[in-house]
Amino acid sequence: MIKKIFKWLGLALLILILAGSSFIAHEWYADKPFRFKSYVDRTMVQMAFDSPETLTSLGFLESLGIKGHNADLDDASVAKADEMFELLPKVRAGVAQYADADLSKSDLMSKEIALYLLDYAKESTQFRYHSYPVNQLFGIQNGFPSFMDAQHQVHTMEDAQNYISRLSQVKRKFTQSLESLKIREEKGIIPPQFVIDRVLDEMKQFVAKPIDENILYVSLKDKMEKAQKTASESGDSAFTDEQMSQILADVTTQMNESVHPAYQLFIDYFEQLRLKSTTDDGFWKLPNGDAAYANTLKFFTTTDYSADYIHDTGLSEVARIQTEILQILGNEGFDTTQGFSPAIETLKADESFYYPDTDEGRQQIIDDYQKILDEINEGLDGAFNIRPKAGMKVRRIPEFKEKTAPGAYYQQPAIDGSRPGMFFANLYDIKATPKYGMRTLAYHEGIPGHHFQIAIGMESEGLPLFRRMSPFTAYTEGWALYAEQVAWELGFQDDPFDNVGRLQAELFRAVRLVVDTGIHHKRWTREFAIDYMLKNTGMPESDVVSEIERYIVMPGQATAYKVGMMKILEIRANAKAKLGDKFNLPEFHDVVLKNGAVPLDVLAKIVDDYVNEKLN
């Protein structure tokens, strides 16, 4: 498939060359293109072309009528991963060949960020297998069905046949994925026992469900029916009844011959692996685990903060935020004399803050989330100049995985605009969605949080592709948490209980600093971390258990939110102090957003440059 894409690209380049565009040919084929942006974009495109699933997610080839990649799944073999690690030094040398003096200000920043990522990748190679790629939150076992449901679009017979083709490759990809799992086992990198139990339960339920009720069958059936309805409204036909019946019969065949055997392969392996697992949960238990954890903290926070510093900062922030919450509750007539936990439990027990535990109640939650997002989107002109072109929709997290999924997450829009940004809400436990917490969650995942930051970054013209999709969690999650506070500052949470919801969300991220470092550095048990989080957040137990188990399989990631928010607020405060009356909030947000995701130190430099230019 990749060869076909390169063939199509080659034909396009040939046309340009024949038209006299020797410059474009040079930029694609030369060891050193004239433009730095051409080099890094070309590298990103080549990597994307090597991943048909990435191409589907990006969604830009479909607008050109190119769909062949949608018939393939990625190569998940260890040999393929080796190729990527071997490529990194070559890419770094290619980036370094451009002298700083020859680069524009924007390109110089791009070079700095590229080298930051490449140097980190080199440093992290020693910890290549320090992870649990199949766990209760993510991995091929739940990622594949989600990918097919959310990303693989079906509008034509070709799309449906590509869907079937991908189902036929599932056993191959699972078999390849098993290679790296066995290497981890040999190295003593084995998930905690509860992780294996969760994964086994999930996979056994997946294969036990009747095929015509499985998400892979139901999703394709729904997509074909919608495509047929859309086509019939314009007098056309996307599928005949016979074609739809044949496609669904093919799904059943591939479920029996490829998909279910692939899952059984994993079930058999993890049942055997469980015998070697333990109940120790932190990274400290792994070979060279302390160094591996320090490495993850550096990546996720883009700082050199130690685990002890992060832990102590978290304890301080927890105390501050709890005091603010108690003040609000006291003003609203709550008894706060017994401390934080009893006051929060009283708040949680008030049934007026919850929706009915019914299908209708859950649908009302989705509808109300959309209203919240539409409302704030209409009222942000005084705080933002830049707005994303992509729309924003709310969907429920698929029921098959919501039990162990996080409370919510955001999915980026397609580059070509064919798919809007998506805010996925977890509705498994109705008590996990109190009305006073909904605004904050919508602002975080949607507007002006992840949707603004990610969609604006993707739509930014002039930035290299890697900067439009950079993986800097401290920036992206820091921005989303900062967005919660901005919404409050702008008056969108003027109800005292909505403000309690905002502070609870910030408290949640402060507690994360404590428990993540507690588990992986201070050797806290899963149970001790759950108890601490329950007592200090007021969150439902189902959410707390899910969160703690998330931190165990994603060490360091949870610290990025609060570290990023605090740094953005610090940068804003410094800009205000220097600019005084000249400080302009929309301009500040423009500066922060228009450069894409960056390391926090780089963000500080960007804002300093803006401040100095404005002063001069």
Side-chain angles (χ1 to χ4, degrees), residues 1-159:
M1 182 57 233
I2 301 304
K3 291 180 179 178
K4 290 181 182 178
I5 294 176
F6 274 111
K7 181 179 179 181
W8 291 324
L9 185 60
L11 288 172
L13 286 170
L14 179 60
I15 293 171
L16 290 170
I17 292 169
L18 292 173
S21 187
S22 58
F23 172 80
I24 293 178
H26 179 274
E27 295 300 272
W28 180 259
Y29 291 112
D31 291 335
K32 183 181 180 182
F34 294 125
R35 299 190 307 169
F36 176 78
K37 181 177 179 296
S38 296
Y39 176 79
V40 291
D41 276 352
R42 184 182 72 182
T43 302
M44 282 290 293
V45 168
Q46 289 171 342
M47 289 181 175
F49 280 176
D50 218 17
S51 168
E53 294 173 37
T54 298
L55 291 173
T56 297
S57 297
L58 293 174
F60 65 89
L61 287 178
E62 287 77 2
S63 63
L64 303 175
I66 300 172
K67 295 184 177 181
H69 56 284
N70 293 327
D72 292 327
L73 295 178
D74 288 353
D75 183 341
S77 65
V78 171
K80 192 64 178 178
D82 287 342
E83 289 180 13
M84 185 196 71
F85 281 96
E86 292 167 3
L87 178 64
L88 292 175
K90 300 176 183 177
V91 174
R92 194 196 187 286
V95 170
Q97 68 183 326
Y98 291 88
D100 291 356
D102 297 334
L103 299 178
S104 66
K105 183 177 179 180
S106 177
D107 283 345
L108 193 59
M109 184 184 301
S110 295
K111 179 183 176 182
E112 179 181 359
I113 296 170
L115 290 176
Y116 178 97
L117 286 169
L118 291 163
D119 288 343
Y120 177 82
K122 179 182 178 181
E123 179 184 343
S124 303
T125 301
Q126 61 184 310
F127 306 117
R128 171 180 172 181
Y129 293 105
H130 278 74
S131 63
Y132 310 130
V134 175
N135 59 67
Q136 77 281 7
L137 288 182
F138 56 85
I140 189 175
Q141 83 289 350
N142 54 32
F144 172 72
S146 296
F147 169 77
M148 296 301 287
D149 176 52
Q151 306 278 4
H152 189 112
Q153 299 188 44
V154 177
H155 303 292
T156 67
M157 189 65 180
E158 180 187 1
D159 297 334

Side-chain angles (χ1 to χ4, degrees), residues 288-579:
N288 207 17
D290 288 337
Y293 181 56
N295 183 261
T296 65
L297 287 178
K298 180 177 181 179
F299 176 73
F300 285 116
T301 69
T302 63
T303 71
D304 291 320
Y305 295 165
S306 69
D308 286 325
Y309 173 80
I310 293 172
H311 190 84
D312 293 343
T313 299
L315 291 172
S316 177
E317 283 294 284
V318 166
R320 176 187 66 80
I321 298 167
Q322 286 181 346
T323 299
E324 290 189 32
I325 291 174
L326 287 175
Q327 288 174 345
I328 295 172
L329 292 180
N331 292 338
E332 296 301 314
F334 284 72
D335 179 8
T336 60
T337 60
Q338 301 302 309
F340 177 79
S341 186
I344 285 296
E345 290 303 315
T346 302
L347 177 69
K348 287 168 56 180
D350 189 336
E351 291 293 331
S352 67
F353 289 120
Y354 300 99
Y355 290 80
D357 193 0
T358 62
D359 290 341
E360 293 76 15
R362 285 173 169 80
Q363 184 57 51
Q364 191 60 52
I365 291 174
I366 297 297
D367 294 342
D368 288 349
Y369 269 133
Q370 192 67 56
K371 289 177 183 177
I372 289 169
L373 290 166
D374 291 343
E375 174 197 56
I376 196 168
N377 192 47
E378 293 296 319
L380 285 178
D381 288 344
F384 292 85
N385 294 323
I386 298 177
R387 296 293 198 94
K389 299 174 184 176
M392 171 86 241
K393 296 296 181 183
V394 183
R395 288 181 65 179
R396 180 179 181 176
I397 290 176
E399 293 181 54
F400 85 94
K401 69 172 186 176
E402 65 182 357
K403 185 176 180 180
T404 57
Y409 58 84
Y410 174 79
Q411 177 183 292
Q412 68 187 33
I415 286 181
D416 67 355
S418 61
R419 185 183 68 246
M422 293 286 189
F423 161 30
F424 284 88
N426 192 330
L427 305 184
Y428 174 74
D429 181 356
I430 205 75
K431 290 296 182 72
T433 308
K435 295 177 181 178
Y436 56 81
M438 289 176 63
R439 285 185 173 273
T440 294
L441 186 58
Y443 302 150
H444 179 102
E445 299 294 346
I447 301 170
H450 283 315
H451 181 58
F452 267 37
Q453 181 267 309
I454 293 174
I456 288 172
M458 289 179 66
E459 294 167 2
S460 295
E461 297 181 1
L463 288 182
L465 290 172
F466 84 94
R467 285 186 57 189
R468 292 163 67 181
M469 295 173 282
S470 296
F472 295 113
T473 311
Y475 173 96
T476 57
E477 296 296 354
W479 170 265
L481 189 52
Y482 166 79
E484 298 174 13
Q485 178 162 324
V486 168
W488 170 69
E489 292 170 347
L490 296 174
F492 286 97
Q493 292 160 308
D494 55 356
D495 183 291
F497 291 108
D498 284 339
N499 194 27
V500 169
R502 177 187 70 85
L503 288 167
Q504 271 195 287
E506 186 180 359
L507 175 64
F508 166 39
R509 276 54 177 236
V511 166
R512 281 176 159 181
L513 300 182
V514 179
V515 294
D516 194 291
T517 51
I519 292 166
H520 294 291
H521 178 64
K522 294 184 177 295
R523 304 194 175 196
W524 287 12
T525 65
R526 169 182 171 275
E527 292 71 26
F528 188 88
I530 288 172
D531 184 62
Y532 176 88
M533 197 168 200
L534 275 172
K535 290 178 179 177
N536 285 282
T537 63
M539 293 169 58
E541 184 172 0
S542 62
D543 275 9
V544 168
V545 172
S546 178
E547 286 294 327
I548 293 299
E549 292 180 351
R550 169 187 171 181
Y551 311 151
I552 290 170
V553 300
M554 297 177 66
Q557 193 269 353
T559 66
Y561 299 66
K562 194 69 169 69
V563 169
M565 178 204 191
M566 294 174 70
K567 188 65 175 180
I568 292 172
L569 287 171
E570 175 190 317
I571 291 169
R572 189 179 74 171
N574 289 339
K576 278 185 174 181
K578 293 177 181 178
L579 291 173

Side-chain angles (χ1 to χ4, degrees), residues 217-233:
Y217 184 102
V218 173
S219 178
L220 178 56
K221 185 173 182 289
D222 289 346
K223 290 173 182 177
M224 288 195 297
E225 289 175 349
K226 289 177 182 177
Q228 181 67 359
K229 181 180 178 181
T230 300
S232 64
E233 289 173 352

